[in-house]
Amino acid sequence: MNNPSAGHAGRQPSLAAATLAALGIVFGDIGTSPLYAFRECFAPHGIDPTPLTKGNLVGAASLIVWALILVVSVKYVLIILRLDNRGEGGILALSALIRSAARRLGGKDPKMILLLGLAGSSLIYADGMITPSISVLSAVEGLSVSAPQLSNYVVPLAVVILVGMFSIQRHGTGRVGILFGPIVLLWFLTLGALGLRGVIAHPEVLSAISPTAGITFLIREWHHAFPLLAAVFLAVTGGEALYADLGHFGTRSIRVGWFAVVLPGLVLNYLGQAALLSYDPSALRAPFFLLAPEMLRFPLTILATAAAAIASQALISGAFSLTTQAVQLGCLPRVKIRYTSDHSAGQVYVPSINRFLLVACIVLVVSFKSSTALAGAYGIAIVLTMTITSFLFYSAARAVWGWTKLKAGAVTGLFLAIEIPFLAANSLKIIHGGWLPLVVAGSAMGLMVTWIWGRARLYKRLSREALPVDALLADLKRGSIHRVHGTAVYMSGRGDTVPTALLHNLKHNQVLHEKVVLLHVDTLDQPYAYPCACAKHEDLGSGLHRVSLSFGFAETPDVPEALKTRLPEEVKFHPGKATYFLGRESYGVGKNASALDRIRLAVFAVMARNASPATAYFRLPPGRVVELGAQITL
């Protein structure tokens, strides 16, 4: 497939088609929260449950409605989505945007911003394991209401659905979204219709639209506040996914889908559940399914199961996007990435991440066996990610938008005033399973930090022993190096040193091509490189050329194509006829390394060995690649 960044010239889908596809990908996570969120507000949680009085039911509905308004509508849809990094979204793209803006303004590269971005990205990986599991389990559990005789098959059915769902990821989020979009549209219309049925029967629940109902409820039930807020937060868990999936469909389609379809359906359904429980408290076992007439409950279970499977798309596709960005920014080793769209460069598929998430989801479903048990592990990773996004927003508002400290601080303070109570409430889940996503996120961040540290250590080691290019030029001018016909391309760093692969070629073969290109590939802190600055060429003399190619972190680094199209005509370089020399290093640990460094270097070496070959990553013709091995002691 061609570089998708060039696909912007292709035919763009209409707003209606993009919105429908966005419904099938972006909103599935938040759209399935009604399956369990309201029920969890009054679940026992190991203590006396919140009383099921009419006032409490209205208060819980009010908290959920206003959480949707303030956290999702205001923070994410209206404000955070504006912070796109040339079309790409997500916490890692946001941190890259801040760092780029800071450097552009003449400031230092804020390393803490990168660490916050890595932490948020790691938490999204953890959430990508739990969201599919709890969504599918909660939907299939509807069988206990509509077909009790099948209740023993909940876990096997959930596993089968997960396998099928991850199996279709290779077709790309665009095609999956078009397939899923109509189903999710029907789902949200069903949510609204079921809720409206309950509201019409008991219109007094409309008082939940007033924020005072929620505030009064929290004050009255203060001793249940933490479990309540943790349950309320389940209703907004898909908010961060909206931002992570920005590059797949764009701001406009996400906003239209949210305000026209998703928000009305969610609000009506939560109000409808409150209305149902106000006159039938026994419906707490499954308020969502019991909203429907008995004859429609089995079809509703099927629809809910389909919607739950689709719900996982938001986090799965978000994990794909984050992985691509992390690889391009040098935070993870190279992995196989497939671009699945000709018109949207943000639509990617990462097979290794897909396999990892599938296995993790199956293990969680088999281990926890119910959505109620899994709810204990759900929420903490997402609320931490949202809090990190709020801190990053302050820096972004200052560096990117030029806001004053007062203005940026006021808006950030509003975000944190809502999220910190949610964070405190979800922290109680740590001992009840919340430790799991934290361990996963900590492991993922540890790997990313280790990779960055190892690469920096390797670069320092190579730079210390590298031969200056000027010394090579001097030898070439003296004629002491034998030259052969052809062109050789050596991957090079930023500095004025000779690549290790070139030195090894001289050492073993004692010849050099008549034309040598020292090629440096630079990944920018933005999704796409500017056309005017995507290639630089310098003729060093004696047949040596220094070339620098710049790619955005959302682009495919197709080196031969870039050498062919980006360099000036006078260079007359034919990349298809060149020989590409790559270094393949193995790593040893120095005698003076500390115990901690030995562990980190061992992990770095394993990651390096399992990275995808540079040949595939840079789109080099396999038949024209020569790899030269080297043992490097770090």
Side-chain angles (χ1 to χ4, degrees):
M1 178 176 288
N2 294 330
N3 189 336
S5 63
H8 293 288
R11 184 180 178 184
Q12 297 288 336
S14 66
L15 177 61
T19 302
L20 185 64
L23 284 175
I25 298 295
V26 178
F27 298 109
D29 182 12
I30 200 167
T32 52
S33 295
L35 289 168
Y36 49 82
F38 199 82
R39 178 194 69 199
E40 291 299 311
C41 290
F42 298 92
H45 299 292
I47 59 174
D48 292 334
T50 306
L52 273 171
T53 64
K54 290 185 178 180
N56 287 352
L57 290 165
V58 169
S62 178
L63 288 176
I64 289 176
V65 168
W66 280 95
L68 290 169
I69 293 173
L70 295 176
V71 176
V72 184
S73 299
V74 175
K75 177 184 175 180
Y76 282 97
V77 178
L78 294 181
I79 297 178
I80 296 294
L81 287 187
R82 293 172 55 203
L83 285 167
D84 67 294
N85 195 336
R86 297 188 70 190
E88 285 291 314
I91 198 166
L92 198 57
L94 177 60
S95 65
L97 177 66
I98 297 169
R99 295 170 66 207
S100 178
R103 287 197 294 268
R104 194 165 56 248
L105 295 173
K108 295 182 178 180
D109 186 2
K111 300 297 183 184
M112 182 56 65
I113 298 298
L114 175 61
L115 290 177
L116 287 174
L118 295 180
S121 302
S122 302
L123 289 163
I124 288 179
Y125 284 125
D127 186 34
M129 295 167 40
I130 300 177
T131 295
S133 307
I134 193 172
S135 298
V136 172
L137 266 178
S138 59
V140 179
E141 285 169 351
L143 291 173
S144 62
V145 176
S146 59
Q149 67 274 17
L150 298 177
S151 57
N152 292 332
Y153 297 95
V154 166
V155 171
L157 280 174
V159 171
V160 170
I161 292 168
L162 286 169
V163 171
M165 179 183 65
F166 280 97
S167 298
I168 66 173
Q169 296 301 318
R170 66 173 66 93
H171 298 295
T173 52
R175 292 172 185 162
V176 171
I178 292 296
L179 173 66
F180 286 167
I183 300 174
V184 177
L185 178 59
L186 176 61
W187 171 251
F188 281 112
L189 293 176
T190 302
L191 287 182
L194 291 175
L196 185 61
R197 181 171 178 260
V199 170
I200 291 174
H202 298 273
E204 61 270 17
V205 297
L206 289 173
S207 59
I209 296 175
S210 169
T212 57
I215 295 172
T216 304
F217 172 51
L218 269 184
I219 295 173
R220 184 173 60 247
E221 298 293 338
W222 60 270
H223 49 294
H224 294 125
F226 272 7
L228 277 171
L229 288 176
V232 167
F233 183 75
L234 295 175
V236 297
T237 50
E240 187 71 31
L242 269 65
Y243 187 41
D245 284 327
L246 178 61
H248 290 254
F249 298 103
T251 303
R252 193 178 177 196
S253 58
I254 292 176
R255 284 178 173 162
V256 170
W258 173 254
F259 287 112
V261 179
V262 180
L263 181 60
L266 292 175
V267 169
L268 281 172
N269 195 266
Y270 286 120
L271 293 180
Q273 291 190 46
L276 170 66
L277 292 173
S278 67
Y279 70 87
D280 184 10
S282 65
L284 182 62
R285 61 191 177 97
F288 173 80
F289 291 102
L290 293 173
L291 261 179
E294 186 173 355
M295 63 180 295
L296 296 180
R297 287 172 190 167
F298 186 72
L300 180 61
T301 301
I302 296 175
L303 178 61
T305 303
I310 296 168
S312 309
Q313 281 300 139
L315 268 299
I316 295 171
S317 54
F320 293 162
S321 296
L322 285 172
T323 302
T324 304
Q325 295 170 16
V327 169
Q328 296 285 54
L329 291 172
C331 304
L332 282 176
R334 295 183 300 268
V335 295
K336 184 178 181 181
I337 298 170
R338 284 181 49 197
Y339 289 83
T340 58
S341 172
D342 292 326
H343 58 73
S344 180
Q347 294 185 15
V348 293
Y349 166 65
V350 185
S352 58
I353 296 299
N354 194 60
R355 289 191 296 269
F356 166 75
L357 291 178
L358 170 59
V359 173
C361 288
I362 291 175
V363 170
L364 287 177
V365 166
V366 173
S367 302
F368 285 85
K369 294 183 173 62
S370 73
S371 60
T372 298
L374 197 51
Y378 195 44
I380 183 68
I382 308 171
V383 72
L384 276 171
T385 307
M386 287 185 172
T387 305
I388 291 172
T389 300
S390 294
F391 281 112
L392 289 175
F393 169 79
Y394 175 83
S395 298
R398 298 271 295 131
V400 180
W401 291 343
W403 283 13
T404 63
K405 290 182 179 180
L406 180 61
K407 184 177 180 180
V411 176
T412 304
L414 174 63
F415 294 162
L416 293 176
I418 299 169
E419 290 163 355
I420 287 178
F422 282 139
L423 177 59
N426 278 279
S427 65
L428 297 181
K429 292 183 173 183
I430 293 177
I431 60 174
H432 299 293
W435 57 268
L436 177 62
L438 296 182
V439 169
V440 172
S443 301
M445 186 173 179
L447 290 175
M448 287 192 278
V449 171
T450 298
W451 182 252
I452 295 171
W453 172 83
R455 280 181 42 139
R457 190 174 178 121
L458 175 62
Y459 180 77
K460 184 177 180 181
R461 170 75 169 77
L462 294 176
S463 298
R464 191 166 59 243
E465 299 182 359
L467 178 73
V469 172
D470 290 342
L472 176 63
L473 286 171
D475 287 342
L476 291 175
K477 290 176 181 178
R478 288 195 299 267
S480 56
I481 298 176
H482 182 64
R483 309 297 289 270
V484 296
H485 291 294
T487 300
V489 179
Y490 293 88
M491 304 300 290
S492 172
R494 293 176 182 270
D496 296 326
T497 57
V498 179
T500 304
L502 192 153
L503 291 177
H504 281 278
N505 184 46
L506 279 176
K507 177 181 178 181
H508 295 289
N509 298 321
Q510 300 178 1
V511 296
L512 200 65
H513 288 73
E514 62 181 358
K515 182 179 286 187
V516 176
V517 176
L518 306 181
L519 175 64
H520 172 65
V521 177
D522 186 29
T523 301
L524 306 176
D525 282 341
Q526 58 192 47
Y528 312 108
Y530 293 107
C532 59
C534 60
K536 296 179 181 178
H537 169 258
E538 182 182 358
D539 190 344
L540 302 176
S542 299
L544 257 66
H545 301 263
R546 181 184 287 126
V547 175
S548 177
L549 298 177
S550 296
F551 296 92
F553 61 71
E555 293 182 278
T556 302
D558 190 335
V559 166
E561 180 67 19
L563 290 173
K564 182 179 179 181
T565 59
R566 296 183 182 182
L567 294 182
E569 284 294 327
E570 58 268 21
V571 177
K572 297 181 180 179
F573 176 63
H574 301 285
K577 298 180 180 179
T579 302
Y580 298 85
F581 287 85
L582 303 176
R584 178 170 285 273
E585 298 87 3
S586 58
Y587 306 105
V589 181
K591 295 180 180 179
N592 297 325
S594 65
L596 177 60
D597 282 353
R598 287 177 179 275
I599 295 173
R600 297 170 76 183
L601 289 171
V603 173
F604 174 76
V606 171
M607 295 173 72
R609 282 198 301 270
N610 287 279
S612 293
T615 302
Y617 184 74
F618 293 113
R619 301 290 181 90
L620 305 179
R624 306 201 65 84
V625 174
V626 176
E627 291 189 348
L628 299 171
Q631 172 74 31
I632 298 176
T633 301
L634 296 176

